[in-house]
Each structure stands twice: as C-alpha cells, then as structure tokens.
Amino acid sequence: MFEQYRMTDLEKFVEELYIQNGIIYPEQINITELSSRLNVWVHFAEAKSRAVESRTGLRSMFIDSRLTSEEQRMDFLHELCHLLRHVGNQMVLPELFTEAQENEAKNFVYYAAIPFFMLRTMPIPANRQMAIEYIAFNFDVTLRFAENRLSQIERRILQAQFDIVAAAAQHASWNDSKKDEPIKGTNIYAYYDSTADVSGPSQLVIEADEVAVESAVDFLFPVEGPFDRLDQEDLPNYNHCKRLLAQDLIYKDGKIGINFAVLNIKYGRNHQYVLHMKDIERVIYLGKYF
C-alpha cells in the first residue's frame, strides 16, 4: 500500500528521533512516555499550552489542564516541535517568522502521532473506512485525525505516481523542445516539492541569458511571483544549478534579488541558480527587522 510513498524531511526527523530514543510502538506515544524518554519537563496549568526555552538547555512546557487528555497530547506534540526545531521566543517574534514555524508544528503533530515508520509495517485494511478505524484505534487518535493522516499519505502516493508517469511520458519531448528555445532575459521558475512541509514553492530557479549574466545591475523580483512552474520531469535540465545561500541574496524595496556580477566573481559564470525558500525568508526577515 505504501511502496511509493515519499517521506518528508520532517517525517524522517521524527523517525530518527523516535528510534534513537526507543519509541517504536504506538502505545508509547503518550505524554508520560515521550516526556520521560525525550527529557522534557511538563507542567499542567490553567493556561494556554506553550513551550518554554531554558538557557541551561532544559526542555520544558506548560500544558493546559482544562483540555481533554486527547487535546493535551496533541498540544504536547505541537509544543514538542517548537522545543526540538525552533529557536526564539514565539511570543515576541514577528508574524513572518512564526507562521512557518506554526505550519511545521501542525505537520509535526500528524507525523509524531501516527509515525509512518510504524504505520507501514501494520496490516492496514484495504477498505478505507476500516483502515481509518484501524489507525484511530491503534494510535489512539480520533477518527477525523486518522482520516486526515491517511488522506495526506494517499495524496502523496498519488503525486508520486503522477510524477513517475509524467516523467516517462514527457521527459523526452520536453528535452527536445527545450534545446530549440534560447534563453531570453532572466526567467524565474518555482518548484513545488510534493514531499516538502511547505504550502508554497520549496525552491525558485533563476535562469539567465548571456546579456543578463554580464549585467552589473541588481536583478530584483517580488517573492510572491507570479512564476512559471517547474514539474518533476523538468528537473534533469537543472542538474547543474548553482545553489545560492542567504548571504548571496539582496533585499531591497520589498523585493528579493541577486547581482550577477558579484556572483560571477564568487562562483564563476553561471546561467542557472537555485534559491531555497528558507534562505529567501531569512533574508526578508533580516531585511525587514534588522
């Protein structure tokens, strides 16, 4: 059932975390067991659940005692993501920075409550409704939560199947047409990774012609696009992209960009560059608030 499923980096993180700490059975996914094995101090209080960072490295959190036991467990997993993955006090960070953290924490809850490495070894019923009930029972989650996780997995399997078929059918013809189309100006493409834990593009690709590469003028563009989309079958044409880091990017007048003349000196002449969204977001954050 799960042969073509591709785990995200966040799912792999959860798998490594659990296995390294001896968390290998669904019944271990509870606050008492997880907090003990992961060395997290948990205090229940009549207040909104939140993670608390300590300069001494102590992991601790407050869990709202007014919630049901199931809600408390989900809050625990949410705050655990903040403790393990995020830096800075969310109560004072600007919205741009915290939004991505919250989205990751929401995904983390699904991955941590129903880890794929546990699920793939279980005899999941072929009937979908029975599968939902089986998952809910074995991982002690609600039917709705189990259905959401199963739907998430099904979407990624379908996407993987689509990618394989599309690549086989279109790769050759796309390559032929690409060779006949000279690059004009500077083009930006967005790649949406079906396994990534982001709602927008995971990478942007900048492709420039000879004139653009020779330019010493800053090339700026709005980070929200619009951009043409790269599909899975397009990627082999960008195997030689040069990866740019946050320090290579420019933030000016609300736009992000690069300077080809500077990059030529640092990396040599390149016509293709790839920018990761996490680096772009970091540059925007620093440009706005520092």
Side-chain angles (χ1 to χ4, degrees):
M1 179 179 180
F2 302 126
E3 290 81 4
Q4 292 179 319
Y5 183 75
R6 293 179 293 180
M7 295 175 66
T8 70
D9 287 341
L10 187 57
E11 280 180 294
K12 294 174 184 176
F13 172 84
V14 171
E15 177 176 339
E16 292 173 3
L17 175 72
Y18 276 11
I19 293 176
Q20 288 174 1
N21 289 278
I23 304 164
I24 56 177
Y25 302 111
E27 56 267 26
Q28 293 177 290
I29 306 174
N30 59 73
I31 294 178
T32 301
E33 184 86 11
L34 291 176
S35 61
S36 175
R37 289 181 176 270
L38 300 177
N39 194 28
V40 178
W41 181 82
V42 179
H43 178 71
F44 294 88
E46 292 187 3
K48 184 178 179 180
S49 301
R50 64 185 177 91
V52 180
E53 294 183 344
S54 169
R55 293 181 180 178
T56 62
L58 177 66
R59 297 170 178 168
S60 59
M61 68 175 72
F62 289 93
I63 297 296
D64 194 336
S65 61
R66 298 166 295 186
L67 301 177
T68 66
S69 59
E70 177 61 16
E71 291 171 334
Q72 289 176 352
R73 185 161 68 108
M74 295 305 163
D75 270 16
F76 172 86
L77 294 176
H78 185 100
E79 299 307 326
L80 181 62
C81 180
H82 290 315
L83 283 177
L84 298 176
R85 306 266 303 175
H86 304 146
V87 178
N89 187 340
Q90 283 208 312
M91 298 179 69
V92 298
L93 285 177
E95 182 179 354
L96 174 69
F97 200 72
T98 59
E99 183 178 356
Q101 293 184 350
E102 284 301 311
N103 288 335
E104 183 175 74
K106 290 176 182 178
N107 283 326
F108 182 93
V109 172
Y110 281 104
Y111 303 154
I114 308 177
F116 181 73
F117 80 96
M118 295 184 190
L119 192 64
R120 67 186 171 199
T121 64
M122 301 172 73
I124 308 298
N127 178 277
R128 193 172 192 275
Q129 185 57 40
M130 291 178 63
I132 292 170
E133 294 172 1
Y134 178 88
I135 293 170
F137 174 79
N138 281 276
F139 288 93
D140 193 22
V141 297
T142 65
L143 290 172
R144 185 183 182 98
F145 189 94
E147 182 177 14
N148 288 343
R149 179 65 166 128
L150 183 59
S151 296
Q152 182 186 66
I153 291 171
E154 290 170 338
R155 286 195 303 271
R156 288 185 181 152
I157 291 174
L158 286 174
Q159 181 63 50
Q161 293 171 341
F162 173 81
D163 290 344
I164 293 172
V165 173
Q170 300 180 23
H171 180 56
S173 60
W174 195 94
N175 275 340
D176 290 340
S177 63
K178 184 69 176 177
K179 293 176 183 177
D180 297 332
E181 297 177 4
I183 303 171
K184 296 180 181 180
T186 304
N187 302 312
I188 305 176
Y189 305 97
Y191 175 63
Y192 293 77
D193 187 348
S194 62
T195 68
D197 290 292
V198 293
S199 57
S202 52
Q203 289 93 19
L204 296 182
V205 171
I206 297 178
E207 188 172 32
D209 64 10
E210 196 67 29
V211 175
V213 170
E214 290 291 340
S215 174
V217 178
D218 291 343
F219 173 70
L220 302 171
F221 58 90
V223 72
E224 64 273 10
F227 309 117
D228 291 333
R229 182 167 181 152
L230 288 180
D231 294 318
Q232 186 77 19
E233 66 271 17
D234 304 335
L235 297 186
N237 297 282
Y238 298 92
N239 282 338
H240 301 292
C241 278
K242 176 63 183 178
R243 161 77 186 278
L244 296 183
L245 303 176
Q247 56 263 37
D248 297 316
L249 306 181
I250 300 167
Y251 180 77
K252 184 185 298 184
D253 301 326
K255 296 182 178 180
I256 202 77
I258 61 175
N259 185 292
F260 287 104
V262 173
L263 297 180
N264 290 342
I265 295 172
K266 292 181 67 174
Y267 302 118
R269 291 170 52 81
N270 290 279
H271 290 268
Q272 297 176 341
Y273 293 99
V274 61
L275 289 63
H276 288 240
M277 288 306 298
K278 63 181 182 179
D279 292 323
I280 293 175
E281 290 169 356
R282 176 175 174 78
V283 171
I284 293 175
Y285 168 71
L286 293 174
K288 279 188 175 182
Y289 300 103
F290 292 93

